[in-house]
C-alpha cells in the first residue's frame, strides 16, 4: 500500500531522482529545495509557505509528490508528479486528496492550479475532484512533450470544445495553452 506523507528537506535527493527519471520535469531543484525548507517555517501573516507531500511504496520508494503553496486566502497546487511506471494506480488521486484536505484544514477559500491543456489524464483527475475551468492562457507553455508522454485521459467529449481541447504538442512545434482551474473549498 502506498502511503502519503509530508516530506522534509532530507527527502530532496529522492525528489530529484524522481524528477530526473521523467520525460517531463515538473519542478527545478531550487524550487523543490525552497518548498521543503519553507514547510518547516511557521506561517507568518502575508508570507507564503509550502507543504510537499510524497507517496511512498511499502519499500520506501518515492512514487510521486505534490507541492502545495499556502497563501493567506488561497492555496495553489504548484506541482504534482507520479513516476511513469506507477501511474494509473490512484497515486495522483491520493496526493490530490491530501492537498485538498490540507487546504481545507487551513480554512482557505480556494485551491488553484494550472495544467497543460494536452494533459488530459490530469484534467480528468482535477474535474473528478470538483475543479472548474476558470480560463486559458494561450501559448503559455513551451512546446509540450512528444505524443504519448502523458497518460491517456477519458473518452472524447470529456473536455470543452475549442482551442484548449486540441492544444499543440511538441510535434507541432507550437507553444501549448495552460488551463487555469480552481476548487471552491467552501462549497464542497
Amino acid at each position: 500500500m502506498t502511503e502519503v506523507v509530508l516530506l522534509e528537506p532530507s527527502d530532496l535527493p529522492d525528489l530529484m531522482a524522481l524528477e530526473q527519471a521523467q520525460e517531463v520535469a515538473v519542478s527545478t531543484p531550487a524550487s523543490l529545495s525552497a518548498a521543503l525548507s519553507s514547510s518547516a517555517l511557521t506561517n507568518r501573516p502575508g508570507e507564503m509557505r509550502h507543504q510537499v507531500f510524497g507517496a511512498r511504496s511499502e519499500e520506501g520508494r518515492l512514487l510521486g509528490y505534490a507541492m502545495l503553496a499556502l497563501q493567506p486566502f488561497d492555496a495553489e497546487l504548484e506541482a504534482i508528479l507520479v513516476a511513469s511506471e506507477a501511474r494509473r494506480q490512484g497515486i495522483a488521486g491520493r496526493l490530490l486528496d491530501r492537498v485538498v484536505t490540507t487546504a481545507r484544514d487551513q480554512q482557505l477559500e480556494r485551491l488553484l492550479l494550472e495544467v497543460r491543456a494536452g494533459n488530459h489524464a490530469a484534467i480528468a483527475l482535477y474535474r473528478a475532484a470538483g475543479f472548474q475551468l476558470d480560463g486559458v492562457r494561450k501559448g503559455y507553455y513551451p512546446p509540450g512533450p512528444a505524443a504519448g508522454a502523458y497518460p491517456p485521459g477519458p473518452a472524447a467529449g470529456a473536455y470543452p470544445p475549442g482551442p484548449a481541447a486540441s492544444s499543440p504538442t511538441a510535434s507541432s512545434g507550437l507553444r501549448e495553452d495552460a488551463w487555469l482551474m480552481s476548487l471552491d473549498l467552501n462549497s464542497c
Side-chain angles (χ1 to χ4, degrees), residues 102-170:
T102 300
R104 279 198 182 110
D105 288 350
Q106 296 289 319
Q107 300 178 349
L108 300 175
E109 296 172 9
R110 290 183 311 161
L111 178 56
L112 310 169
L113 63 85
E114 66 182 43
V115 59
R116 283 183 181 265
N119 192 344
H120 301 299
I123 292 168
L125 172 71
Y126 300 142
R127 290 211 159 185
F131 282 82
Q132 301 296 315
L133 177 63
D134 293 334
V136 176
R137 285 187 179 143
K138 298 286 187 188
Y140 180 74
Y141 288 110
Y150 295 125
Y159 309 103
S166 58
S167 184
T169 62

Side-chain angles (χ1 to χ4, degrees), residues 33-132:
S33 179
L36 289 169
S37 296
S38 77
S39 69
L41 300 174
T42 59
N43 195 12
R44 289 173 264 214
E47 183 177 285
M48 182 170 58
R49 66 185 179 100
H50 290 82
Q51 291 194 340
V52 183
F53 301 102
R56 290 203 178 271
S57 68
E58 289 178 1
E59 299 79 30
R61 183 169 166 255
L62 187 64
L63 301 174
Y65 78 92
M67 182 170 28
L68 177 67
L70 300 166
Q71 302 166 14
F73 300 101
D74 297 326
E76 182 178 353
L77 176 61
E78 291 187 343
I80 189 165
L81 174 69
V82 175
S84 56
E85 69 277 5
R87 292 181 183 152
R88 314 253 343 134
Q89 298 176 29
I91 294 170
R94 288 196 294 279
L95 286 165
L96 185 60
D97 287 346
R98 180 70 179 267
V99 163
V100 170
T101 298
T102 300
R104 279 198 182 110
D105 288 350
Q106 296 289 319
Q107 300 178 349
L108 300 175
E109 296 172 9
R110 290 183 311 161
L111 178 56
L112 310 169
L113 63 85
E114 66 182 43
V115 59
R116 283 183 181 265
N119 192 344
H120 301 299
I123 292 168
L125 172 71
Y126 300 142
R127 290 211 159 185
F131 282 82
Q132 301 296 315

